[in-house]
């Protein structure tokens, strides 16, 4: 039972490069989320989705885009990476409001 | 914007001691969740409280939701090294949606053997 799987787990980018983080869940959850976690800042919501084909902005959406083409997948894209986007990114999903998190993706932007 | 303040930010204690972690806000939340996060992993849900004044116990952990649903506390009795981790509280949207959570910044607990 995989739960929530994030790929890749680690990535190093140069400023201006683009990349996509993939989140996949096998629990048939409607809701999916992308958070970033920085030291002393806690978890901050980037974007979320309440169902297939829908997305919405969270607390810190600038510089990120998302897509939810399939119910089980939620993609987070960085079109032009900046050093300020160095962080650990967590994907989460839920059906009842209680979040299940992936193990995180550590992104470093040089 | 709803904000959750957690205190203390850091806590280092000896095995066997008791401790309390606080989660406070000026806003009302529809529910309050507590998560524990270990290094290199994602947060894992410990408990959800939804009723003002509610108390839930999970072995040596006791969770309380304030009467006004603006604050919560986590009390650990006889802490063990396995309790070490980052404890996060998260509040459900007061508009009624439990699906958009606001997280506190966390309390980093270290229990020394």
């Amino acid at each position: 039972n995989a739960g929530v799987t994030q790929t890749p787990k680690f990535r190093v980018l140069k400023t201006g490069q683009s990349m996509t983080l993939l989140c996949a869940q096998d629990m048939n959850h409607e809701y999916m989320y992308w958070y970033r976690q920085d030291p002393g800042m806690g978890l901050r919501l980037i974007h979320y989705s309440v169902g297939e084909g829908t997305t919405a902005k969270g607390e810190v959406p600038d510089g990120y885009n998302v897509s939810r083409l399939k119910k089980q997948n939620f993609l987070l894209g960085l079109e032009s990476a900046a050093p300020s986007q160095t962080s650990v990114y967590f994907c989460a999903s839920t059906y009842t409001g209680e979040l299940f998190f992936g193990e995180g993706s550590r992104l470093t932007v040089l | 914007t709803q904000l959750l303040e957690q205190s203390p930010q850091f806590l280092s204690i000896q095995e066997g001691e008791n401790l309390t972690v606080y989660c406070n806000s000026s806003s009302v939340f529809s529910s309050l969740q507590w998560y524990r996060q270990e290094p290199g992993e994602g947060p894992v849900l410990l408990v959800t409280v939804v009723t003002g004044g509610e108390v839930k116990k999970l072995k040596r952990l006791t969770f309380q939701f304030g009467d006004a649903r603006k604050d919560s506390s986590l009390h650990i009795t006889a802490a063990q090294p396995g309790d070490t981790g980052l404890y996060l509280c998260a509040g459900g949207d007061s508009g009624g949606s439990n699906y958009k959570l606001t997280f506190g910044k966390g309390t980093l607990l270290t229990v020394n053997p």
Side-chain angles (χ1 to χ4, degrees):
Chain A
N1 190 4
V4 178
T5 303
Q6 293 181 226
T7 53
K9 289 185 169 44
F10 301 93
R11 184 74 187 269
V12 178
L13 288 177
K14 293 182 180 178
T15 297
Q17 287 185 320
S18 63
M19 75 157 296
T20 299
L21 296 176
L22 170 63
C23 176
Q25 54 95 2
D26 62 1
M27 297 173 284
N28 202 34
H29 286 169
E30 289 292 335
Y31 298 80
M32 296 187 74
Y33 309 81
W34 276 107
Y35 288 90
R36 60 178 290 175
Q37 187 175 39
D38 303 291
M41 298 298 291
L43 284 164
R44 292 183 292 170
L45 182 63
I46 305 171
H47 286 281
Y48 64 103
S49 169
V50 300
E52 180 178 320
T54 72
T55 63
K57 294 180 179 180
E59 181 186 353
V60 288
D62 294 344
Y64 304 95
N65 57 75
V66 288
S67 64
R68 182 100 181 267
L69 298 179
K70 293 183 179 181
K71 185 177 184 179
Q72 63 268 34
N73 296 336
F74 195 27
L75 279 64
L76 178 70
L78 285 72
E79 290 187 348
S80 180
S84 61
Q85 294 177 304
T86 293
S87 187
V88 181
Y89 292 85
F90 286 97
C91 177
S93 69
T94 188
Y95 181 75
T96 62
E98 300 175 354
L99 299 182
F100 289 82
F101 284 87
E103 293 186 339
S105 297
R106 183 174 295 275
L107 174 65
T108 301
V109 183
L110 303 175
Chain B
T1 302
Q2 298 177 299
L3 295 175
L4 278 169
E5 299 284 342
Q6 285 190 242
S7 61
Q9 188 176 358
F10 301 97
L11 188 56
S12 180
I13 62 172
Q14 295 300 121
E15 182 175 1
E17 292 183 358
N18 301 332
L19 67 114
T20 302
V21 174
Y22 300 93
C23 177
N24 296 300
S25 176
S26 58
S27 303
V28 175
F29 290 97
S30 58
S31 66
L32 205 294
Q33 298 177 6
W34 285 91
Y35 292 79
R36 181 170 68 206
Q37 182 179 20
E38 298 187 16
E41 299 183 7
V44 176
L45 180 70
L46 295 173
V47 77
T48 300
V49 285
V50 297
T51 305
E54 183 175 2
V55 176
K56 280 192 175 180
K57 293 190 175 183
L58 189 66
K59 295 183 180 178
R60 293 175 294 101
L61 278 61
T62 301
F63 305 85
Q64 185 165 5
F65 201 12
D67 291 341
R69 291 187 289 133
K70 293 183 178 181
D71 55 86
S72 181
S73 63
L74 158 60
H75 181 79
I76 300 179
T77 303
Q80 299 177 359
D83 296 326
T84 292
L86 179 67
Y87 288 82
L88 296 159
C89 64
D93 190 293
S94 61
S97 168
N98 284 325
Y99 302 99
K100 191 176 174 186
L101 298 176
T102 298
F103 279 85
K105 294 181 179 180
T107 294
L108 185 60
L109 171 66
T110 303
V111 182
N112 303 297

